[in-house]
């Protein structure tokens, strides 16, 4: 193979890895593969493998509790950076995506509750349709290229980050098991040590990560979901090397270094593994009636209609009242399309669904609802945005 061809292959691969859409595209492919495998002759092997024990936990728990802690670590790093030094660093920047995120969490929850009000056992899943999958949503948006203004991509990313923060709070408050006070006390001591490292301007990332592993074990044993240890650890990682450091030099801060180091492993390894392990749902013996189940309907309708109404309605209220402005160069039809994309709730919705329900039947209903609602939201959002771009070209 010539150097020119090798260079082209390497360049194409680098462009793919660096593109915003690639993480979402891989996640789409992995989710589809999981469904195919779960309904193939090797389905039994797939489901059995997930329950094989490797030490104290089975494979699915290692993925959902340990690997996903790294995902939550990255989420925490992104939240901290955006809040202190990014698109959410001032209240004027926070108000529109923040309020839209709140509306986009409240209405889907209410819709789900409406479908499940008569059954207390399924009400526990109210938070499932409140989450937006940033990789999926930005992936679809990025496929449209420059037909969508950059300001809308920033708005969607900011909204999804605030949405993730809301999901973390919901998990901590509403999906915590019985508390082990001793383990929680150990966790508190470890957090205090992380704060001391931060206040002492310690820049060695491994010092934080070492305490982070111990914190994960303590939180896991405490009854609080172990992935939240990743968020707590992220908040302790220093953003600035020393007080007064110029902005250009902040790229060398421990937070930036760790965030950059984790982005590709999380996007191309951890989240796809989680998606493959949890998106697989078997349709063997299932009938069309599963689509009419309250859980399935609540999740799907919450994602499709709840996110649209909650996000778009809140934005309209703020803009019409003069409290905020639409993102630069964005139209109302484009905002409608982005609001629909917020209904893609794959990763975090699946995660909350697994916490909400322990039985396989309910989890299958959740997965079908998430897949149906996310697919409909993605297709509808992309169609609205493409139609909007076409109208602008013809105008």
């Amino acid at each position: 193979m010539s150097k020119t061809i090798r260079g082209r292959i390497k360049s194409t691969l680098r462009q793919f890895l660096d593109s915003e859409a690639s993480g979402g595209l891989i996640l789409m492919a992995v989710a589809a593969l999981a469904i195919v495998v779960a309904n193939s002759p090797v389905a039994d092997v797939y489901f059995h493998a997930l329950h094989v024990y490797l030490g104290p936990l089975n494979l699915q728990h290692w993925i959902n509790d340990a690997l996903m802690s790294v995902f939550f670590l990255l989420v925490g790093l992104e939240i901290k950076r955006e809040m202190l030094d990014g698109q959410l660093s001032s209240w004027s920047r926070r108000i529109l995506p923040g309020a839209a995120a709140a509306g986009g969490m409240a209405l889907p929850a209410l819709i789900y509750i409406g479908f499940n009000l008569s059954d207390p056992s399924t009400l526990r899943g109210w938070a499932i349709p409140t989450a937006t999958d940033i990789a999926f949503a930005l992936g679809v948006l990025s496929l449209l290229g420059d037909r969508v203004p950059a300001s809308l991509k920033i708005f969607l990313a900011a909204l999804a980050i605030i949405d993730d923060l809301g999901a973390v709070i919901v998990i901590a408050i509403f999906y915590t098991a019985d508390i082990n006070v001793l383990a929680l006390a150990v966790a508190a001591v470890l957090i205090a040590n992380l704060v001391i490292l931060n206040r002492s301007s310690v820049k060695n990332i491994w010092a934080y990560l070492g305490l982070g592993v111990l914190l994960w074990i303590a939180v896991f044993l405490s009854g609080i979901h172990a992935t939240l240890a990743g968020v707590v650890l992220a908040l302790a990682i220093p953003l600035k090397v020393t007080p007064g450091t110029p902005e250009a030099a902040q790229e060398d801060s421990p937070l930036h270094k760790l965030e950059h180091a984790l982005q590709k492993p999380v996007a191309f390894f951890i989240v796809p593994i989680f998606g493959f392990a949890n998106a697989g749902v078997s349709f063997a013996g299932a009938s069309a009636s599963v689509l009419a189940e309250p859980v399935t309907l609540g999740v799907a309708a919450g994602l499709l209609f709840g996110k649209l109404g909650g996000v778009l309605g809140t934005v309209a209220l703020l803009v019409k009242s003069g409290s905020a402005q639409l993102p630069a160069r964005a139209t109302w039809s484009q905002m409608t399309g982005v609001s629909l994309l917020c209904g893609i709730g794959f990763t975090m919705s699946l995660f909350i669904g697994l916490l909400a329900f322990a039985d396989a039947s309910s989890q299958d209903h959740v997965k079908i609802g998430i897949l149906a609602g996310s697919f409909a939201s993605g297709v509808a959002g992309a169609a609205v945005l493409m139609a909007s771009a076409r109208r602008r070209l013809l105008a």
Side-chain angles (χ1 to χ4, degrees), residues 76-250:
L77 293 171
E78 290 176 340
I79 290 171
K80 180 173 180 176
R81 175 179 50 77
E82 292 294 343
M83 287 290 188
L84 297 181
D85 190 41
Q87 293 300 321
L88 302 172
S89 58
S90 66
W91 283 110
S92 60
R93 290 179 173 183
R94 294 170 191 162
I95 184 169
L96 189 64
M105 294 184 75
L107 189 56
L110 291 173
I111 288 176
Y112 180 93
I113 290 170
F115 278 103
N116 291 272
L117 198 56
S118 62
D119 188 353
S121 68
T122 61
L123 278 177
R124 184 172 168 76
W126 64 270
I128 297 168
T130 64
T132 294
D133 190 299
I134 189 169
F136 253 128
L138 283 177
V140 174
L141 195 60
S142 298
L143 290 175
L144 299 171
D146 57 9
R147 286 175 286 186
V148 178
S151 61
L152 271 182
K153 295 179 182 179
I154 294 171
F155 168 80
L156 179 58
L159 184 151
I161 287 170
I162 296 172
D163 193 289
D164 282 345
L165 176 60
V168 168
I169 294 171
V170 165
I171 291 169
I173 296 174
F174 297 100
Y175 296 103
T176 294
D178 295 332
I179 298 296
N180 181 321
V181 178
L182 178 59
L184 195 60
V186 172
V189 171
L190 291 167
I191 292 170
N193 279 276
L194 285 169
V195 172
I196 291 170
L197 288 180
N198 180 287
R199 295 298 184 186
S200 303
S201 298
V202 174
K203 295 179 287 186
N204 189 327
I205 292 175
W206 291 106
Y208 293 93
L209 294 180
L211 284 176
V213 172
L214 297 176
L215 178 63
W216 180 88
I217 296 171
V219 173
F220 178 82
L221 295 174
S222 74
I224 298 173
H225 201 274
T227 51
L228 297 181
V231 178
V232 174
L233 173 60
L235 298 180
I237 305 295
L239 175 61
K240 297 179 181 178
V241 179
T242 54
T245 301
E247 275 189 39
Q250 289 178 21

Side-chain angles (χ1 to χ4, degrees), residues 23-393:
L25 291 173
I26 289 176
L27 197 51
M28 294 177 201
V30 166
L33 178 62
I35 295 171
V36 170
V37 170
N39 293 276
S40 73
V42 297
D44 288 342
V45 176
Y46 167 78
F47 289 112
H48 175 73
L50 292 174
H51 294 91
V52 170
Y53 272 80
L54 301 172
L57 302 174
N58 65 34
L59 180 59
Q60 190 165 35
H61 281 140
W62 278 118
I63 293 169
N64 295 348
D65 292 355
L67 268 186
M68 285 299 284
S69 293
V70 182
F71 166 79
F72 275 84
L73 171 58
L74 180 60
V75 167
L77 293 171
E78 290 176 340
I79 290 171
K80 180 173 180 176
R81 175 179 50 77
E82 292 294 343
M83 287 290 188
L84 297 181
D85 190 41
Q87 293 300 321
L88 302 172
S89 58
S90 66
W91 283 110
S92 60
R93 290 179 173 183
R94 294 170 191 162
I95 184 169
L96 189 64
M105 294 184 75
L107 189 56
L110 291 173
I111 288 176
Y112 180 93
I113 290 170
F115 278 103
N116 291 272
L117 198 56
S118 62
D119 188 353
S121 68
T122 61
L123 278 177
R124 184 172 168 76
W126 64 270
I128 297 168
T130 64
T132 294
D133 190 299
I134 189 169
F136 253 128
L138 283 177
V140 174
L141 195 60
S142 298
L143 290 175
L144 299 171
D146 57 9
R147 286 175 286 186
V148 178
S151 61
L152 271 182
K153 295 179 182 179
I154 294 171
F155 168 80
L156 179 58
L159 184 151
I161 287 170
I162 296 172
D163 193 289
D164 282 345
L165 176 60
V168 168
I169 294 171
V170 165
I171 291 169
I173 296 174
F174 297 100
Y175 296 103
T176 294
D178 295 332
I179 298 296
N180 181 321
V181 178
L182 178 59
L184 195 60
V186 172
V189 171
L190 291 167
I191 292 170
N193 279 276
L194 285 169
V195 172
I196 291 170
L197 288 180
N198 180 287
R199 295 298 184 186
S200 303
S201 298
V202 174
K203 295 179 287 186
N204 189 327
I205 292 175
W206 291 106
Y208 293 93
L209 294 180
L211 284 176
V213 172
L214 297 176
L215 178 63
W216 180 88
I217 296 171
V219 173
F220 178 82
L221 295 174
S222 74
I224 298 173
H225 201 274
T227 51
L228 297 181
V231 178
V232 174
L233 173 60
L235 298 180
I237 305 295
L239 175 61
K240 297 179 181 178
V241 179
T242 54
T245 301
E247 275 189 39
Q250 289 178 21
E251 290 296 322
D252 290 329
S253 73
L255 187 145
H256 280 93
K257 286 181 178 179
L258 185 57
E259 184 182 1
H260 292 160
L262 291 178
Q263 280 173 342
K264 285 185 174 63
V266 168
F268 302 113
F269 178 70
I270 291 174
V271 172
I273 286 178
F274 172 82
F276 183 73
N278 293 286
V281 55
S282 174
F283 297 110
S287 63
S289 62
V290 72
L291 296 174
E293 289 291 333
V295 170
T296 309
L297 282 174
V299 172
L303 287 172
L304 178 59
F305 302 112
K307 282 292 185 180
L308 171 62
V311 172
L312 186 62
T314 303
V315 170
L317 184 64
L318 289 175
V319 172
K320 298 299 182 183
S321 68
S323 301
Q325 293 181 327
L326 278 178
R329 296 178 52 242
T331 65
W332 280 108
S333 61
Q334 288 174 329
M335 181 56 72
T336 301
V338 167
S339 299
L340 281 164
L341 292 185
C342 290
I344 303 175
F346 188 76
T347 306
M348 198 68 84
S349 291
L350 274 177
F351 192 83
I352 295 174
L354 294 170
L355 297 178
F357 300 110
D359 61 293
S361 177
S362 294
Q363 288 183 2
D364 283 350
H365 294 166
V366 167
K367 291 175 184 179
I368 293 170
I370 291 171
L371 292 170
S374 297
F375 179 77
S377 297
V379 171
V384 169
L385 289 168
M386 289 178 69
S388 174
R390 197 176 299 117
R391 282 196 298 271
R392 296 190 76 170
L393 286 173

